[in-house]
Amino acid sequence: MNEFEKLCAIVARLRGPDGCPWDREQTNASLVPPLLEEAYEIAGAVYAQDEANRFSIEDVTREITEKLIRRHPHVFGESTAQGSEAVIKQWEAIKQEEKKGHYFASLPAALPALMRAEKAQKKAARVNFDWKELSDVMAKVNEELSETKDAIESAEPERIADEIGDLLFAVVNLARKCKLDAESVLQLATDKFIARFSEMEERLRQRGGKLGEANLEELDAIWNEIKFERAPNSVVVTA
């Protein structure tokens, strides 16, 4: 059995009836965020010139196989961890022990801001630094919104930027607590905006109008027509 075949066998074991509860729960859709995260980690390593040592594909697959075995002691060892949340915490603990350094040392700086914020919040939550109730998160969003309004009134650019950043971070946390992937729901919202805008453009054209010439009142009226005709899209739920 070559290294790739060994890796496939390990993954099959993890996805099997007696495997890992987290791995068994995953779908193609749920794996998109971690897949993108890994791609950004590769980009970060390339930009940091942290891939100078030569290695073969066999080396890569062997290392992945060893890591999967090492970080799944509940499948390949004597750990009694049960349930997805327990095995995720176990994974993080093993990873922290391997990486050394402070807790967030392994959080890639190359990740997109939304993804990085959500991952930081999830990691903090796994060591009990998290709001317990959704109402607490809602209150935090309202608090940050109020502070953003105050900053805007101050007309201080640095303060405004700081508060808007805090507001965005709080909204990402709200999405996480609602078990939604912030990156995915923002993508859906952007897709919805583009679809509605394109429809608005088409209806405007049919009425003899043209973008750049129609005023906001005309555009807003058509936009509201479309808004109440369209049903909302589905969203991506995250663990």
Side-chain angles (χ1 to χ4, degrees):
M1 185 180 289
N2 61 38
E3 294 299 334
F4 183 73
E5 290 171 335
K6 291 178 183 177
L7 175 59
C8 290
I10 290 296
V11 173
R13 171 75 184 280
L14 293 174
R15 298 274 287 172
D18 298 324
C20 173
W22 184 89
D23 287 278
R24 289 200 306 269
E25 291 173 358
Q26 301 314 302
T27 64
N28 287 342
S30 71
L31 288 172
V32 169
L35 177 62
L36 291 175
E37 178 185 324
E38 293 297 335
Y40 278 105
E41 286 195 43
I42 292 172
V46 171
Y47 292 143
Q49 298 184 340
D50 190 23
E51 73 323 326
N53 292 332
R54 294 184 179 275
F55 50 85
S56 67
I57 189 64
E58 288 79 13
D59 294 331
V60 173
T61 51
R62 183 186 306 110
E63 184 174 334
I64 296 171
T65 298
E66 291 172 354
K67 180 171 70 174
L68 288 176
I69 293 172
R70 193 169 60 247
R71 295 189 186 175
H72 287 83
H74 54 293
V75 178
F76 303 107
E78 299 180 355
S79 170
T80 58
Q82 296 182 348
S84 295
E85 190 59 34
V87 299
I88 290 173
K89 288 184 176 180
Q90 175 181 257
W91 174 286
E92 289 290 341
I94 297 171
K95 184 176 181 179
Q96 177 68 13
E97 181 63 26
E98 292 173 353
K99 300 287 186 180
K100 304 301 182 182
H102 64 78
Y103 187 59
F104 282 119
S106 62
L107 184 64
L111 293 178
L114 282 180
M115 190 182 295
R116 188 164 180 252
E118 182 176 321
K119 190 169 181 63
Q121 292 164 358
K122 285 183 176 180
K123 285 177 69 69
R126 288 174 190 139
V127 290
N128 304 317
F129 191 73
D130 191 19
W131 300 104
K132 294 187 179 299
E133 304 295 335
L134 184 61
S135 58
D136 295 328
V137 183
M138 290 291 295
K140 185 62 177 177
V141 171
N142 289 329
E143 175 190 323
E144 296 298 347
L145 179 59
S146 177
E147 291 180 2
T148 299
K149 291 177 180 178
D150 291 340
I152 291 172
E153 289 179 2
S154 76
E156 299 175 17
E158 290 186 5
R159 183 180 171 192
I160 294 170
D162 184 62
E163 294 300 345
I164 289 178
D166 289 345
L167 177 59
L168 287 171
F169 192 84
V171 172
V172 171
N173 204 25
L174 176 61
R176 179 184 66 84
K177 292 296 283 187
C178 290
K179 299 188 182 302
L180 297 171
D181 175 66
E183 185 78 20
S184 298
V185 296
L186 184 57
Q187 285 282 13
L188 287 173
T190 303
D191 289 344
K192 181 171 62 177
F193 175 82
I194 292 172
R196 285 181 181 174
F197 193 95
S198 299
E199 179 65 21
M200 179 186 70
E201 180 183 9
E202 178 60 22
R203 294 190 188 188
L204 178 64
R205 185 190 63 78
Q206 292 172 356
R207 298 174 190 184
K210 185 178 180 181
L211 287 177
E213 296 178 358
N215 60 35
L216 177 59
E217 289 72 19
E218 293 177 89
L219 298 175
D220 202 39
I222 299 173
W223 181 274
N224 287 329
E225 287 178 13
I226 300 166
K227 180 178 179 180
F228 293 109
E229 293 173 3
R230 297 285 181 90
N233 292 320
S234 60
V235 297
V236 176
V237 178
T238 186

